[in-house]
Every structure is written in structure tokens, then in C-alpha cells.
């Protein structure tokens, strides 16, 4: 297992960089992406927002996903860089002031609009550089960090308006090369939000069930950070859908945290709706926009989508505390992939 390193200077605020910037990679599929999730203390609504730049393809794209009232609203947009240098692509715009971000989604055909400010509440954490082979001749080689914060502002999903005040949200940033699929057995990215603490980590296993990557930390509002060095897991999968997760998390300080996450059935959060699974980075010309609504009645599942990766809002229990957060999961659809729990559950 690899140990994470604390990111003390989160200066990746400018999404679009000049193509002749020496820090920009030379590979055709080099990307620079940001991601935010936003939710309150309840299990809906959940909003996912992302933007990405592919400098060597001349493409900037983005998405908005909103899950509420038994439906997932998907909006995807793509453009040439243009105004993205000034923080705008499609209906999405972003600006920064110090460590604070302002995110806006202007009126658009999907019916999802927002104007919110995100302010960090805990330290940022940069994981160890991710270098993985995908088993099909491709490889991932990228930097990645995340940070917990709170939102204020407004949200509208069709006729429903929400006053956003003190809502939780995770900021995520990655840049490099990423080859998805192939060789992966399962993947989880846990962002459990408790009143004063964010438990956050990545964990990947191969198709034989062997852990191949673990990195994260327990990040607190007092500014402290305790690296996560190992995670034992017992995940209740139903085909490719995750229903419940029991986790035993060991930190560098010697603490052992027992965390339980419960995920709602048909809770949406399918990232294919935002373009994951091959849509990102493909030239589509200027001002391209598409959208649809998925009814979450079981007719849409992670097995049938371009990618099974799902960001689902979950309730968490840790000791005597209750929390809410995003439990991202992906289970391979390859017939040789197996899941092997490493945490034995006992009944009393």
C-alpha cells in the first residue's frame, strides 16, 4: 500500500493552461480536470459538477449531474478552449478568490441551475502519484488531490428551488493521463463527511481481488491530517451495484476506525451521465450541448452504461457519529473479476 502525502499548496485553480506551457504534458490524452460534489445532510439532492481541458486536442468539456425526486438529470457540454481561459464553458462558469471557488450554471435545457460559493473546511490532500497499468496496453499516470468544503448559495432543479447553506462538498483535482477499465476488479472512493471530520480515501483492487492502491487521510476542521495506511473492506454488492460497505480503516497514528456506509437503492449518481466512459476529450466542435433525464426505477443500472463508476450519496456511521457523503464505487463487469472481502463480519 502506498502512503499519501499532504498537499500544502493547492494552487491548481486555473483549469485551462496555455498549450505551450512547459507543465502541460505532451501526450495526446493529457487532461486537466476538476470535480465538485454538493449535498446537504439528507440523501438528496446530490449535484456533481466537472470540467476538463485536453490541451493537445483543443477540447474543453464539462458536465452537471443532479439527482433528486427519483430522477437523474444529465447535462454535458463541449467546446474549443475559447472562453474557458476566462473560466467559462457551456453554461458552466467558475472563478476563484484565494481558496474559495464560485460555481455558476446558467439557465439551460436540463433545468438545473446554480450559483454557489465553495469554501474549504479541512486541509487539502494530495495522494501519491497514481501509476497503474490497465491490462490492455494503456496506463494511468496522473496527480490527484481532494479537499472537503462547505457551500452557500442557491440551486434550482426544474421547479424545485433549494437554499444552499452549509452544505457539504468535495473538491477533486487531477491532471495527467488516465486509462480506465481493463485489469480493475473494483474501485471505491469514500468521502464520508462528519461535522468536524472528513474521512477520505481511494482504494483499488485487481480482478483477483488483491489491493493495488490505497491512499487517503482523516482530515479535520482543526487543520490536522492523519494519513490512511490500510483499509479492510466488506462490500455488499448486488451485481455491479453497491448496497452497503463495512470498512476498517487504519491510520498512521495507529487509530483504527470502523465505518459503515449505507447506500440507497436506485440512488443514481451514474457518472456515465456526465460523460465518463469515453465521452470526455472528444472534439465535437463549438457550443456542443446535450442532455437527458434518467428515471431511477431500476431501468438504468451501472451494468448497462458505458462505465459502471457511480458516485452515490450514502449515510455513514463512525462510532457514535452520523454523517453523509459520496461513496464512489465501480465493480468490473468482466466475468473473471471476483470480489474478496478482507474484513470478516461477526454477529453477536
Amino acid at each position: 500500500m502506498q502512503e499519501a502525502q499532504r498537499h500544502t499548496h493547492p494552487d491548481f485553480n486555473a483549469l485551462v493552461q496555455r498549450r505551450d506551457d512547459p507543465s502541460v504534458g505532451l501526450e495526446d490524452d493529457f487532461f486537466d480536470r476538476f470535480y465538485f460534489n454538493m449535498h446537504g445532510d439528507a440523501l438528496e439532492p446530490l449535484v456533481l459538477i466537472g470540467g476538463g481541458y485536453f490541451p493537445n486536442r483543443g477540447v474543453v468539456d464539462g458536465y452537471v449531474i443532479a439527482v433528486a425526486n427519483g430522477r437523474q438529470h444529465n447535462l454535458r457540454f463541449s467546446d474549443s478552449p475559447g472562453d474557458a481561459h476566462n473560466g467559462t464553458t457551456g453554461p458552466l462558469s467558475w472563478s476563484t478568490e484565494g481558496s474559495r471557488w464560485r460555481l455558476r450554471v446558467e439557465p439551460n435545457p436540463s433545468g438545473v441551475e446554480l450559483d454557489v460559493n465553495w469554501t474549504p473546511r479541512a486541509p487539502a490532500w494530495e495522494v501519491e502519484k497514481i501509476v497503474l497499468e490497465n491490462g490492455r496496453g494503456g496506463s494511468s499516470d496522473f496527480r490527484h488531490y481532494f479537499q472537503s468544503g462547505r457551500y452557500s448559495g442557491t440551486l434550482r432543479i426544474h421547479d424545485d428551488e433549494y437554499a444552499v447553506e452549509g452544505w457539504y462538498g468535495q473538491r477533486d483535482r487531477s491532471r495527467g493521463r488516465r486509462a480506465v477499465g481493463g485489469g480493475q476488479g473494483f474501485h471505491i472512493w469514500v468521502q464520508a463527511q462528519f461535522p468536524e471530520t472528513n474521512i477520505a480515501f481511494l482504494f483499488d483492487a485487481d480482478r483477483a481481488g488483491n489491493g493495488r492502491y490505497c491512499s487517503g487521510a482523516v482530515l479535520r476542521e482543526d487543520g490536522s491530517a492523519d494519513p490512511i495506511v490500510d483499509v479492510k473492506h466488506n462490500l455488499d454488492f448486488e451485481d455491479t451495484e453497491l448496497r452497503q460497505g463495512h470498512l476498517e480503516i487504519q491510520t498512521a497514528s495507529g487509530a483504527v476506525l470502523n465505518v459503515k456506509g449505507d447506500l440507497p437503492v436506485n440512488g443514481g449518481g451514474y457518472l456515465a451521465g456526465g460523460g465518463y466512459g469515453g465521452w470526455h476529450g472528444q472534439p465535437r466542435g463549438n457550443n456542443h450541448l446535450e442532455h437527458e433525464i434518467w428515471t431511477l426505477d431500476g431501468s438504468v443500472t451501472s451494468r448497462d452504461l458505458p462505465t459502471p463508476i457511480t458516485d452515490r450519496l450514502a449515510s455513514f456511521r463512525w462510532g457514535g457519529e452520523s454523517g453523509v457523503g459520496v461513496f464512489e464505487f465501480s465493480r468490473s463487469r468482466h466475468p473473471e473479476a471476483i470480489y474478496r472481502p478482507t474484513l470478516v463480519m461477526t454477529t453477536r
Side-chain angles (χ1 to χ4, degrees), residues 19 24-32 53-59 176-178 280-283:
R19 185 167 181 169
V24 170
L26 299 177
E27 301 88 352
D28 174 69
D29 57 350
F30 178 90
F31 71 92
D32 184 0
Y53 177 44
F54 294 77
N56 300 315
R57 296 179 180 177
V59 174
R177 298 175 60 249
R178 176 160 45 201
H280 294 155
Q282 303 303 317

Side-chain angles (χ1 to χ4, degrees), residues 183-348:
Q184 187 182 77
F186 76 92
H187 153 87
I188 57 175
W189 179 60
V190 172
Q191 299 293 336
Q193 307 281 5
F194 296 94
E196 297 180 0
T197 305
N198 172 219
I199 300 175
F201 67 88
L202 280 166
F203 187 93
D204 282 310
D206 61 23
R207 287 178 181 165
N210 302 309
R212 61 178 186 172
Y213 190 87
C214 178
S215 189
V218 178
L219 304 162
R220 300 185 177 88
E221 290 193 352
D222 65 8
S224 63
D226 193 1
I228 291 172
V229 296
D230 196 16
V231 175
K232 291 183 172 61
H233 51 85
N234 192 305
L235 306 176
D236 180 13
F237 282 108
E238 183 178 316
D239 192 22
T240 57
E241 296 283 338
L242 181 62
R243 302 306 183 202
Q244 191 176 81
H246 293 265
L247 307 166
E248 184 180 277
I249 300 166
Q250 182 178 346
T251 71
S253 70
V256 177
L257 286 63
N258 290 289
V259 178
K260 178 187 176 186
D262 288 298
L263 291 75
V265 177
N266 299 329
Y270 300 116
L271 289 186
Y276 289 81
W279 192 90
H280 294 155
Q282 303 303 317
R284 291 180 169 82
N286 295 330
N287 304 315
H288 178 86
L289 185 147
E290 53 192 65
H291 65 98
E292 71 273 330
I293 297 174
W294 293 340
T295 301
L296 301 175
D297 57 2
S299 57
V300 178
T301 72
S302 55
R303 172 160 289 280
D304 304 318
L305 295 170
T307 176
I309 192 166
T310 302
D311 280 16
R312 184 155 298 167
L313 205 51
S315 59
F316 288 95
R317 293 286 297 174
W318 166 41
E321 288 195 75
S322 298
V324 176
V326 169
F327 202 136
E328 179 177 285
F329 63 91
S330 174
R331 185 180 184 184
S332 173
R333 296 172 289 196
H334 194 281
E336 295 180 0
I338 60 174
Y339 171 68
R340 291 178 177 172
T342 57
L343 178 61
V344 177
M345 303 304 300
T346 59
T347 56
R348 297 182 179 179

